[in-house]
Amino acid sequence: MYCVRNVTEDLYWVGANDHRLHLFENIHPIPRGVSYNAYLLLDESTVLFDTVDWSACRQLLENVEHLLDGRPLDYLLINHMEPDHGASIEEILLRWPKVKVISTEKAFMLMRQFGFRIDDHELIEVKEGDTQCFGKHTVTFVAAPMVHWPEAMVTFDLTNGVLFSADAFGSFGALDGKLFNDEVDFDRDWLDDARRYFTNIVGKYGPHVQLLLKKAGGILDKIRVVCPLHGPVWRSNLAYLIDKYDHWSRYAPEEQGVLIAYASMYGNTEDAAQALAARLCDKGLTKVALYDVSNTHVSTLISEAFKYSHIVLASVTYNLGIYPVMHNFLIDMKALNLQNRTFALIENGSWACKSGDLMQKFIDEEMKNMTVLNERLSMASSLHADKAVELETLANALLESVGHTAE
Ligand code: FEO
């Protein structure tokens, strides 16, 4: 059965939701599923904007066939060819052999590299500033390299102000009927997944996102609707979304608060983390989030690290090193280019406590623009009452650095 939604007068969402995929990119858990958005414009020419993952191809075909109602498909416009969007390109070409494919030189190169048989079809190579008229609608193309792959572009409909934004402004989470941002409580139900999507998928490429935001800034008053390739379509409150993207891509925290991530073998390092969290809250700083790195997926830890201004890492020493899951978190923060944060460290070791020095070394030598507070809490096996002063000192140092006045 077809499943479509009307976006504007003659533009339709023809994508699909996926609740069966467990891991996005085979690495990030998506308990709320994901949507693969594609859009069909019924102008004098018919235009399909992007396709969907192979697993959702049948739904896409039913949707497009229903809306075309016997008309031919004239154009297939590909903003981003990564297989979660491009895998159905070949099937579209088989169904509508006369369709003309519009995309960038790099996208065509990558399509060939992935084995898509495109060369028997008319290919229209476009670059930034080019325009294409489909009848009433004229679109223009804007290069968006590394948002999130090098071939990506976004397409702006000059006629009705619709921005086809590719991966930009997307989110994890299936739509399940609700297509528009004003049909959901985004702040309550979607923001965490949108941040987790951005930070883990595009987080590394903050400067490229900034470049795209700068270009978007030039036409901001003309953008009416943003149609991303995942998650809700935005038709109101664009400033909210752009502000989030601006923070994330500048590596600026959304919240002056403290993320406490702990690695604990027998619960003793966890005790210290809990005691610190309680002291902070007791002093009035309740923007505190606490996670066990062993049972929290690193994509969530990354999202929270992008959210908060301060990060406390509490780790046992393991094989004379940092606990492996904590080490992995550090490596992922570095890989995703996180910067401009203040750290505090809690270390634990029963006979050769090394984790504090090693975490400090990693942060100092491997990461950019990070500060580590001097007030480190060291413990041997467990936190005893004689460490109460050190704990208090650490809590106060964090409060001062966050800019919170102790109550
Ligand atoms: Fe949703 Fe970069 O693909």
Side-chain angles (χ1 to χ4, degrees):
M1 175 66 184
Y2 62 83
C3 176
V4 301
R5 293 262 338 240
N6 192 208
V7 180
T8 61
E9 187 195 352
D10 46 6
L11 180 71
Y12 295 83
W13 177 85
V14 290
N17 293 295
D18 187 349
H19 280 285
R20 291 206 258 172
L21 186 70
H22 179 54
L23 296 172
F24 189 81
E25 293 186 346
N26 210 15
I27 187 167
H28 308 296
I30 43 170
R32 293 177 58 243
V34 69
S35 74
Y36 311 113
N37 298 343
Y39 304 91
L40 183 69
L41 179 68
L42 299 178
D43 199 349
E44 286 166 28
S45 298
T46 57
V47 189
L48 177 60
F49 292 83
D50 293 290
T51 72
V52 297
D53 188 79
W54 180 244
S55 62
C57 184
R58 184 185 164 90
Q59 184 69 65
L60 172 76
L61 293 172
E62 284 192 56
N63 293 345
V64 173
E65 275 167 1
H66 163 69
L67 287 168
L68 286 177
D69 196 22
R71 290 180 69 185
L73 181 64
D74 299 310
Y75 293 95
L76 171 60
L77 195 158
I78 299 295
N79 286 299
H80 183 29
M81 64 67 57
E82 188 171 3
D84 57 329
H85 311 291
S88 301
I89 290 173
E90 220 175 343
E91 192 61 29
I92 295 291
L93 300 184
L94 284 169
R95 303 273 174 141
W96 291 279
K98 290 188 177 152
V99 70
K100 302 178 185 77
V101 189
I102 302 173
S103 200
T104 62
E105 180 188 8
K106 264 206 183 98
F108 288 132
M109 186 269 286
L110 285 171
M111 286 179 210
R112 294 184 188 101
Q113 218 168 273
F114 272 87
F116 303 172
R117 282 163 293 181
I118 53 171
D119 285 312
D120 291 340
H121 300 266
E122 189 175 335
L123 307 180
I124 302 173
E125 200 177 289
V126 294
K127 54 183 184 331
E128 176 146 331
D130 287 355
T131 57
Q132 184 84 33
C133 181
F134 301 122
K136 274 198 302 182
H137 294 262
T138 298
V139 300
T140 186
F141 308 102
V142 180
M146 303 321 296
V147 188
H148 125 248
W149 276 19
E151 94 301 359
M153 67 173 181
V154 302
T155 299
F156 184 57
D157 187 329
L158 297 161
T159 309
N160 62 0
V162 172
L163 177 68
F164 298 92
S165 64
D167 271 346
F169 308 119
S171 177
F172 293 141
L175 294 164
D176 300 342
K178 303 180 197 77
L179 179 62
F180 297 101
N181 69 298
D182 54 27
E183 296 174 334
V184 302
D185 188 334
F186 194 86
D187 217 53
R188 187 190 67 194
D189 299 332
W190 282 83
L191 179 60
D192 285 343
D193 260 337
R195 186 191 309 102
R196 194 163 63 86
Y197 168 82
F198 176 88
T199 55
N200 287 278
I201 305 296
V202 199
K204 183 178 179 61
Y205 306 112
H208 295 83
V209 176
Q210 278 288 310
L211 203 63
L212 184 61
L213 287 178
K214 220 165 262 166
K215 290 179 189 177
I219 54 163
L220 210 50
D221 56 328
K222 298 186 181 69
I223 300 175
R224 297 274 169 269
V225 182
V226 175
C227 291
L229 289 176
H230 301 287
V233 166
W234 286 76
R235 62 182 178 187
S236 63
N237 212 5
L238 291 184
Y240 165 93
L241 183 64
I242 287 171
D243 178 62
K244 295 293 180 199
Y245 261 66
D246 184 47
H247 276 80
W248 299 335
S249 58
R250 281 190 294 111
Y251 307 103
E254 278 170 82
E255 301 277 7
Q256 286 297 111
V258 181
L259 161 65
I260 304 174
Y262 66 86
S264 187
M265 292 168 65
Y266 298 106
N268 293 299
T269 309
E270 179 181 1
D271 281 352
Q274 292 283 2
L276 177 64
R279 289 309 295 133
L280 292 172
C281 292
D282 206 30
K283 290 166 183 284
L285 179 68
T286 50
K287 284 184 179 168
V288 174
L290 187 104
Y291 291 96
D292 179 349
V293 297
S294 294
N295 62 30
T296 307
H297 193 269
V298 72
S299 64
T300 297
L301 299 174
I302 287 294
S303 178
E304 293 292 89
F306 271 69
K307 178 177 177 181
Y308 289 105
S309 59
H310 288 65
I311 302 170
V312 177
L313 301 180
S315 180
V316 290
T317 303
Y318 198 81
N319 290 328
L320 293 182
I322 306 167
Y323 195 67
V325 193
M326 180 65 84
H327 195 198
N328 183 52
F329 178 33
L330 279 161
I331 289 168
D332 215 18
M333 281 192 276
K334 176 191 170 190
L336 291 166
N337 216 6
L338 181 66
Q339 40 197 291
N340 310 325
R341 293 298 184 275
T342 299
F343 283 85
L345 302 176
I346 298 176
E347 61 178 352
N348 193 359
S350 292
W351 58 90
C353 188
K354 297 274 185 204
S355 55
D357 283 350
L358 292 171
M359 289 190 290
Q360 172 108 36
K361 185 173 156 63
F362 189 98
I363 295 164
D364 287 346
E365 295 180 6
E366 306 278 343
M367 300 173 83
K368 291 182 211 157
N369 303 330
M370 299 299 198
T371 305
V372 183
L373 297 179
N374 292 326
E375 293 80 358
R376 183 191 299 179
L377 177 62
S378 293
M379 51 198 279
S381 302
S382 63
L383 193 66
H384 294 272
D386 64 353
K387 292 283 182 181
V389 175
E390 274 181 56
L391 181 69
E392 193 70 8
T393 306
L394 177 58
N396 287 337
L398 277 164
L399 286 172
E400 190 185 337
S401 179
V402 167
H404 184 88
T405 314
E407 289 167 2

